[in-house]
Amino acid sequence: MPTGVRVAGLMRAPTPTISAASSFFFLFFFLSSSCIIVVFSASDAETLLQFKQSLTSATALNNWNPSVPPCENHKANWAGVLCLNGHVRGLRLENMGLKGEVDMNSLVSLTRLRTLSFMNNTLVGSWPPVITKLGSLRSVYLSYNHFSGEIPDDAFTGMKFLKKVFLTNNEFNGPIPSSLASLSRLIELRLDGNKFKGQVPQFQIDTLTKLNVSNNELDGPIPTSLSHMDPSCFSGNNDLCGDPLPECGKAPMSSSGLLKIAVIIIILGVTLAVIAAIFIILNLRNQPAALQLGKENAGMINMEDQDQKKYVNAKQVAAGVGDGYRSIESSSSSVAQATRRGGADHGKLLFVRDDRERFDLQDLLRASAEILGSGSFGSSYKATILSNAVVVKRYKHMNNVGREEFHEHMRRLGRLTHPNLLPLVAYYYRKEEKLLISDFVDNGSLASHLHGNHNLEEAGLDWATRLKIIRGIARGLSYLYASLPNIVAAHGHLKSSNVLLDESMEPLLTDYGLSPVANLEQGQSLMMAYKSPEYAQMGRITKKTDIWSFGIVILEMLTGRFPENYLTRNHDPKADLAAWVNNMIKEKKTAQVFDTELGRARESSKGELLKMLKIALSCCEEDVDRRLDLNQVAAEIEDLNDADLSDDDDDDDDDDGHNFSPTSRHIHIAV
Ligand SMILES: Nc1ncnc2c1ncn2[C@@H]1O[C@H](COP(=O)(O)OP(=O)(O)OP(=O)(O)O)[C@@H](O)[C@H]1O
């Protein structure tokens, strides 16, 4: 047997230590070079390193260091690795600039692998047959690569747990494998943007809710089982027909009909373009320079947002900010220096950290910018400068605060450092304009992961990950309370879109500590869904105001439901999240409270789920005196025993919720 023979199909040992594993490895090579066949158990680390070797470009995986285990309990030490109970449960190698032909043979020994994602890289090669052997997989994401060739018809046979398959924008060809159509748990299938030919197979899967086979070379009738899908799922193919597309055999519209429609579209288009041009010209006249952030790429910025229009048209803002931005010059001065010079910081970007590459406002103005969203306190843009992506948030309700006070407060925030806080990097101050700059977090927010807007088509969050996020939030909050003892609500704006998630799903709190510089009268009427009743109704802020918001975030993670604003018109009081959960418990429907995306964890980890539910409801106690304080919440969360956290089997059908009472195990939920 030659040296360097591929280690394939090996059995896994029960978690060998890394040093032991390495010596096994050496033993293997020594023996194999002596032509003796030895079968030993590969550790997760060895497996992953072998996999990495097959890539021609993998600098993003430089921290895959053999002297550190990839997983320690639920903590991942290696980039892109997802862990559960000390084992690799997923690979999330997205947007990492990976190149080469993936050799996935070694991955067979990762018997607990649930998620495999290589999206947005430059990987080549044909359908890796070994994927079929990864029987534990729940989701496969290969979209936006250069995988090619035909996928064998039986490629998915035996992958009985598979729920999501994403192959978008590759170069796969040949027929859609019929084994895909027999996956009994498939929920989402994306095959768009390939070169699949022939007919769409008969999918008889009740669970399949999202399908996209557009932009392929498919033809023939669409199976009746898919006729309820949106027509756009089938567009851009050679000759697909039948519901929801036009009937098979029906002649396409006559050329004169098409011509009429084209003329109408052109007339409408021209009219809209003229209106848009007039609107843009009028707007640009009034527009402050600050809004020209990324103006070379203005098309990327959505200026149509209502809030933003109000902001743009405020003359006061336009005058003040315009001046400020015209006097921009390169600034590397520290905040302290700028403050000492008393007012010399007009128009400058002030960095609050020394470990950052400096850029100035001109760089920001030149950078390509993309609007991320407009929230209750302002709008956020993503800008790419010197190959770094940053987020610039323009705050609306901060014009009561004085210059010195603002500088002082930003300095204080700039000193905060904790693994669960997104650090403030820099800021800009003018009386009428405040910008705060932080790093862009690629993995999105807890809100987008929970409620499905995550543009990387992320798999659902399992219980272990949710628990890790809750713990991280509690730790971040505890640090904030210890570091900012003079601020009554040290976060002041906790909600799921202000919890960002890093590569290893650690939460990073953002938008924190701003209550001393925000105009609270505006804040009070905003973001009600997360605001405690005493704050929302009477403007009373206490040390426990953040605790209420934290409770709502935990409930959101347990239930998968978006919290309702209980002060909106036509609001059903029973629909606000805390009230809804309390009501369900009263009606003895506790099991139905939990998010179905939690899968079998709803049964196997129900002790932990119930304990967490109890903690959340104690945070959402209307009586402030009875509400837990942060120390109690943090301690209870840390105490939760995760030893029996189960693997997420994702079997949504198992728990009908009827034999699951709030008093099961040793926990009692007060109702
Ligand atoms: N540093 C960041 N990296 C990545 N995404 C971010 C970052 N900061 C904010 N976002 C996302 O950008 C979007 C807009 O954020 P923004 O803070 O402007 O509004 P919001 O959080 O929805 O509401 P609010 O203004 O009330 O805080 C949100 O989806 C948020 O999760």
Side-chain angles (χ1 to χ4, degrees):
M1 190 176 174
T3 34
V5 68
R6 184 163 288 168
V7 187
L10 301 173
M11 296 288 290
R12 249 194 123 273
T15 336
T17 64
I18 191 83
S19 52
S22 319
S23 45
F24 268 114
F25 220 66
F26 285 123
L27 182 66
F28 170 75
F29 280 107
F30 174 72
L31 292 176
S32 61
S33 62
S34 318
C35 303
I36 300 170
I37 298 172
V38 177
V39 175
F40 67 90
S41 303
S43 73
D44 287 0
E46 290 161 355
T47 300
L48 292 176
L49 288 172
Q50 193 181 343
F51 160 77
K52 182 185 162 189
Q53 269 180 2
S54 70
L55 302 170
T56 53
S57 171
T59 41
L61 308 183
N62 279 352
N63 86 337
W64 286 22
N65 175 357
S67 62
V68 181
C71 291
E72 281 173 298
N73 202 4
H74 304 316
K75 182 172 156 246
N77 294 321
W78 292 14
V81 173
L82 306 175
C83 300
L84 184 73
N85 292 334
H87 299 288
V88 176
R89 67 171 289 277
L91 286 181
R92 192 163 184 279
L93 310 180
E94 298 170 2
N95 292 306
M96 288 190 163
L98 304 181
K99 292 186 184 156
E101 185 162 359
V102 201
D103 166 19
M104 293 210 291
N105 284 335
S106 53
L107 297 186
V108 173
S109 61
L110 298 178
T111 50
R112 296 166 193 237
L113 203 62
R114 303 296 164 94
T115 299
L116 196 59
S117 177
F118 298 139
M119 293 214 296
N120 282 315
N121 286 294
T122 320
L123 299 171
V124 296
S126 53
W127 175 257
V130 74
I131 285 193
T132 315
K133 296 193 185 134
L134 297 169
S136 57
L137 275 178
R138 269 62 173 167
S139 41
V140 177
Y141 303 97
L142 303 185
S143 298
Y144 303 99
N145 278 291
H146 298 291
F147 290 109
S148 56
E150 218 167 283
I151 304 181
D153 199 50
D154 59 354
F156 297 90
T157 312
M159 302 188 76
K160 57 181 179 175
F161 297 112
L162 209 52
K163 291 167 77 175
K164 299 188 182 182
V165 178
F166 284 65
L167 308 182
T168 301
N169 277 22
N170 278 286
E171 288 143 39
F172 287 118
N173 57 36
I176 296 176
S178 64
S179 52
L180 256 181
S182 4
L183 291 173
S184 60
R185 300 188 188 199
L186 194 65
I187 294 175
E188 195 165 359
L189 177 63
R190 301 275 316 249
L191 303 178
D192 43 314
N194 282 285
K195 294 174 188 158
F196 286 109
K197 290 186 176 60
Q199 298 199 357
V200 180
Q202 268 294 350
F203 283 85
Q204 295 292 0
I205 312 172
D206 296 339
T207 49
L208 187 67
T209 49
K210 292 184 191 156
L211 170 85
N212 196 333
V213 296
S214 64
N215 299 319
N216 279 291
E217 295 166 15
L218 299 165
D219 53 33
I222 293 170
T224 44
S225 58
L226 302 179
S227 60
H228 60 286
M229 298 277 176
D230 193 273
S232 62
C233 307
F234 303 99
S235 62
N237 277 292
N238 277 358
D239 205 6
L240 276 181
C241 57
D243 257 356
L245 297 182
E247 260 175 56
C248 294
K250 214 174 181 183
M253 193 180 290
S254 71
S255 52
S256 66
L258 279 175
L259 195 67
K260 270 185 208 154
I261 290 173
V263 170
I264 293 170
I265 289 173
I266 289 169
I267 291 171
L268 273 176
V270 170
T271 316
L272 283 176
V274 171
I275 293 171
I278 292 169
F279 176 78
I280 288 167
I281 289 164
L282 287 178
N283 245 342
L284 278 177
R285 282 195 188 157
N286 287 333
Q287 191 175 334
L291 272 181
Q292 292 175 26
L293 182 70
K295 92 181 158 188
E296 289 128 335
N297 300 288
M300 294 169 74
I301 299 179
N302 175 9
M303 296 296 196
E304 295 302 309
D305 176 78
Q306 254 332 92
D307 286 352
Q308 208 141 314
K309 264 194 263 172
K310 269 189 243 153
Y311 208 43
V312 172
N313 291 332
K315 280 192 182 147
Q316 206 187 357
V317 173
V321 175
D323 287 341
Y325 277 88
R326 274 196 293 278
S327 66
I328 294 163
E329 48 183 89
S330 174
S331 165
S332 60
S333 49
S334 71
V335 182
Q337 280 168 340
T339 321
R340 267 201 305 278
R341 285 201 303 270
D345 52 328
H346 271 229
K348 287 182 178 169
L349 209 55
L350 297 170
F351 281 78
V352 291
R353 306 195 104 78
D354 292 328
D355 57 344
R356 294 310 168 111
E357 207 173 346
R358 302 293 158 106
F359 51 88
D360 57 29
L361 270 171
Q362 288 295 357
D363 295 322
L364 261 191
L365 297 178
R366 276 193 296 265
S368 65
E370 186 184 334
I371 193 160
L372 291 174
S374 252
S376 40
F377 283 101
S379 322
S380 294
Y381 304 87
K382 175 186 172 192
T384 306
I385 300 172
L386 311 169
S387 78
N388 291 323
V390 294
V391 170
V392 182
K393 180 152 177 175
R394 309 182 65 215
Y395 282 88
K396 286 191 265 193
H397 304 300
M398 277 190 186
N399 46 8
N400 288 346
V401 62
R403 171 185 303 277
E404 288 311 315
E405 204 184 325
F406 193 82
H407 284 309
E408 175 61 33
H409 192 62
M410 290 301 117
R411 274 208 297 277
R412 206 181 315 157
L413 293 186
R415 285 194 292 269
L416 301 179
T417 304
H418 186 271
N420 296 112
L421 289 191
L422 183 70
L424 174 67
V425 172
Y427 71 94
Y428 170 84
Y429 173 92
R430 277 190 62 82
K431 188 163 175 10
E432 308 81 357
E433 178 76 288
K434 318 283 178 300
L435 305 178
L436 264 58
I437 291 147
S438 54
D439 290 324
F440 175 72
V441 180
D442 199 29
N443 197 17
S445 69
L446 174 60
S448 64
H449 279 264
L450 277 179
H451 308 299
N453 289 333
H454 189 220
N455 55 12
L456 292 179
E457 298 148 336
E458 175 58 18
L461 296 174
D462 62 23
W463 171 229
T465 311
R466 291 183 207 213
L467 181 56
K468 168 174 163 168
I469 294 170
I470 294 171
R471 282 201 173 129
I473 298 175
R475 288 172 193 166
L477 280 180
S478 301
Y479 173 81
L480 274 179
Y481 273 73
S483 313
L484 302 172
N486 298 332
I487 305 183
V488 183
H491 191 290
H493 200 25
L494 184 59
K495 57 176 181 167
S496 56
S497 68
N498 284 338
V499 177
L500 302 167
L501 298 174
D502 76 5
E503 287 270 310
S504 44
M505 305 303 274
E506 267 304 330
L508 296 167
L509 302 181
T510 183
D511 251 2
Y512 49 82
L514 294 173
S515 58
V517 292
N519 307 355
L520 288 180
E521 62 282 12
Q522 267 104 344
Q524 200 184 319
S525 58
L526 302 164
M527 218 194 75
M528 283 310 159
Y530 296 85
K531 287 282 177 245
S532 61
E534 75 279 2
Y535 179 36
Q537 289 154 17
M538 291 169 287
R540 216 178 110 221
I541 302 180
T542 73
K543 285 264 172 211
K544 294 183 179 174
T545 303
D546 277 332
I547 305 298
W548 175 282
S549 316
F550 188 22
I552 297 290
V553 171
I554 300 177
L555 289 180
E556 197 177 342
M557 295 175 77
L558 291 174
T559 62
R561 291 165 79 100
F562 197 76
E564 259 218 53
N565 180 344
Y566 57 82
L567 291 192
T568 49
R569 253 188 306 148
N570 307 326
H571 170 63
D572 170 6
K574 284 193 185 145
D576 103 64
L577 199 45
W580 178 78
V581 171
N582 275 317
N583 205 43
M584 292 292 280
I585 294 172
K586 254 185 224 151
E587 291 177 10
K588 301 206 183 318
K589 293 180 188 161
T590 311
Q592 291 168 45
V593 156
F594 297 110
D595 187 359
T596 52
E597 282 277 318
L598 286 167
R600 200 172 273 170
R602 286 176 302 160
E603 186 54 43
S604 54
S605 295
K606 69 181 169 190
E608 280 65 41
L609 288 170
L610 284 168
K611 283 181 198 166
M612 192 58 90
L613 189 66
K614 188 184 172 201
I615 295 173
L617 290 175
S618 311
C619 294
C620 295
E621 172 63 63
E622 293 207 8
D623 180 346
V624 181
D625 294 332
R626 289 180 58 194
R627 195 179 303 160
L628 295 182
D629 67 27
L630 183 59
N631 289 339
Q632 290 169 306
V633 180
E636 290 203 12
I637 290 173
E638 292 292 347
D639 277 357
L640 260 189
N641 177 17
D642 55 6
D644 59 350
L645 273 178
S646 71
D647 283 1
D648 170 16
D649 262 350
D650 290 348
D651 188 344
D652 293 343
D653 303 321
D654 284 354
D655 185 2
D656 67 4
H658 292 303
N659 48 8
F660 185 33
S661 92
T663 50
S664 63
R665 299 230 179 139
H666 39 268
I667 178 166
H668 172 72
I669 290 183
V671 290

